[in-house]
Amino acid sequence: MFRASCAEQDKSNIVIAVFTWPPAAFSAACASYSLQQQASITIFCARYSTFCIAEAYKHFVKPHFAQQPCKDQLIVSGGGAHNKTLMSILDNMLPGVMVCSQHDLGYSSDAKEAIAFALMGNETLHGRASNVPRVTGAACPVILGNVTPCPIPTNFGVLNVL
């Protein structure tokens, strides 16, 4: 997943997520192929993933900030941020864009989901919408999720407090 932000005037962010197979699922899918074929598949997936990220940046992120004086920065998080090959390919595909990892900014690249769920949970707890309609295509901002308190046990069974 990456985030492009403009630090000068507009504090808005655009988030584009690239979801990948878990390593075990990828290994299972490749089990019937030779090691050379598996290497070719892995290289193809790396190049295709970086191509998709670079194209999304060029077509969706860059135009959004075209009229604003901000630096081009691509912040990579998740497992891909540890992959030096992916980071190098991204860097080469996006000349003039500073490609860095979330870790480079002082945040764990492995904690992406934990950070996202903590932020969404906080917004839900405070009754604030946390979706981004212009990114997701939702009709309007909404509160995501719900808070369900633990039922209170009594001598006669469970008492539901809500």
Side-chain angles (χ1 to χ4, degrees):
M1 180 168 141
F2 71 88
R3 181 185 85 196
S5 64
C6 181
E8 315 276 322
Q9 295 178 355
D10 184 354
K11 300 291 185 193
S12 65
N13 295 309
I14 295 178
V15 177
I16 299 176
V18 176
F19 299 95
T20 58
W21 286 3
F26 185 77
S27 295
C30 292
S32 63
Y33 296 103
S34 71
L35 290 178
Q36 185 177 4
Q37 290 170 318
Q38 288 179 32
S40 295
I41 292 168
T42 304
I43 291 166
F44 168 78
C45 289
R47 290 190 186 276
Y48 183 70
S49 294
T50 54
F51 171 80
C52 291
I53 293 167
E55 288 299 300
Y57 182 87
K58 291 174 191 173
H59 294 287
F60 300 108
V61 177
K62 185 76 172 160
H64 179 76
F65 294 109
Q67 302 301 319
Q68 300 173 15
C70 59
K71 61 183 176 179
D72 285 347
Q73 183 179 28
L74 179 76
I75 303 167
V76 181
S77 66
H82 299 292
N83 187 321
K84 291 178 182 171
T85 301
L86 286 175
M87 295 296 282
S88 175
I89 295 170
L90 272 175
D91 197 40
N92 291 331
M93 290 182 127
L94 295 167
V97 176
M98 186 180 94
V99 177
C100 64
S101 72
Q102 189 170 296
H103 180 77
D104 295 334
L105 302 175
Y107 301 99
S108 170
S109 291
D110 298 324
K112 171 175 64 176
E113 287 185 10
I115 293 169
F117 276 95
L119 291 170
M120 288 187 291
N122 181 69
E123 295 307 290
T124 298
L125 198 58
H126 289 90
R128 296 187 292 248
S130 57
N131 67 326
V132 183
R134 69 177 180 198
V135 174
T136 64
C140 62
V142 295
I143 296 170
L144 299 174
N146 61 45
V147 178
T148 306
C150 180
I152 300 171
T154 68
N155 291 339
F156 306 106
V158 174
L159 172 68
N160 194 343
V161 294
L162 292 180

